[in-house]
Amino acid sequence: MKEVNIETKLEVYDDISELPADVQKLLASAVEARDNAYSPYSKFNVGAALLLENDEVIIGSNQENASYPSGLCAERTAIYYAGAKYPNTKILKMAISASSQNQITDKPIPPCGACRQSIAEYEIKQDQPIEIFFTGAKGEVVKSESLVNLLPLLFDNSVL
Ligand code: THU
């Protein structure tokens, strides 16, 4: 038996104002997308904005459904949209903002496991890290230099 310890690295910013202007702008796009989420069931709005290497910003928000599992998270809505519209354009950064309609979301909300796996696919495909920034409605912003930092032991196509 051997024990394996896995370490990861994140940066935590106290406030959005500590981040570079381009990231602040991307987070503002995520907030705009968040406000257009379709979340009548959970009342939890999430917005994601991707900055592509062609300078385009692609947004997504969570889209819910009366048949609950048919809904989709903001991050996957955005990344699949980017993959469909610009299949050969690299994704540089992803900004995520989440806000409950029932309470003040004052802590950073990370992407769920399924979204992490989906983002990993694109990071591997483009062979370049995607910087990920996530936050709540206010307060701290967390930065991960790469999706891999958020999903150790990810499943990839090397075994298929
Ligand atoms: N949600 C996202 O959009 N992204 C996540 O990473 C976690 C959860 C959405 C899905 C659902 O519409 C609502 O938030 C509550 O789970």
Side-chain angles (χ1 to χ4, degrees), residues 91-157:
I91 301 162
L92 304 181
K93 298 172 206 261
M94 175 183 271
I96 305 160
S97 175
S99 178
S100 167
Q101 293 172 33
N102 300 320
Q103 57 189 313
I104 294 170
T105 307
D106 56 3
K107 64 174 190 181
I109 306 296
C112 76
C115 286
R116 292 181 207 193
Q117 182 68 36
S118 301
I119 299 163
E121 183 75 24
Y122 291 85
E123 192 168 276
I124 293 164
K125 178 184 165 217
Q126 69 181 29
D127 196 24
Q128 187 176 306
I130 300 173
E131 288 183 1
I132 301 177
F133 300 84
F134 55 90
T135 187
K138 63 175 200 174
E140 290 177 342
V141 182
V142 176
K143 173 185 174 184
S144 174
E145 280 172 359
S146 160
L147 182 280
V148 170
N149 293 351
L150 296 177
L151 190 61
L153 303 182
L154 65 85
F155 181 82
D156 68 28
N157 60 15

Side-chain angles (χ1 to χ4, degrees), residues 38-39 42 44 46 62-64 72-75 109-112 115:
Y38 178 61
S39 55
S42 72
F44 193 74
V46 185
N62 51 325
Q63 300 295 317
E64 298 187 348
L72 195 64
C73 292
E75 296 89 330
I109 306 296
C112 76
C115 286

Side-chain angles (χ1 to χ4, degrees), residues 30-101:
V31 170
E32 212 178 305
R34 186 192 82 193
D35 291 341
N36 287 328
Y38 178 61
S39 55
Y41 305 107
S42 72
K43 312 271 187 216
F44 193 74
N45 290 28
V46 185
L50 306 178
L51 177 66
L52 308 188
E53 66 177 349
N54 64 3
D55 270 342
E56 277 232 31
V57 172
I58 297 283
I59 58 103
S61 59
N62 51 325
Q63 300 295 317
E64 298 187 348
N65 193 281
S67 169
Y68 292 1
S70 300
L72 195 64
C73 292
E75 296 89 330
R76 274 176 287 166
T77 304
I79 207 151
Y80 292 152
Y81 178 22
K85 193 167 185 200
Y86 296 109
N88 300 312
T89 305
K90 287 184 177 170
I91 301 162
L92 304 181
K93 298 172 206 261
M94 175 183 271
I96 305 160
S97 175
S99 178
S100 167
Q101 293 172 33

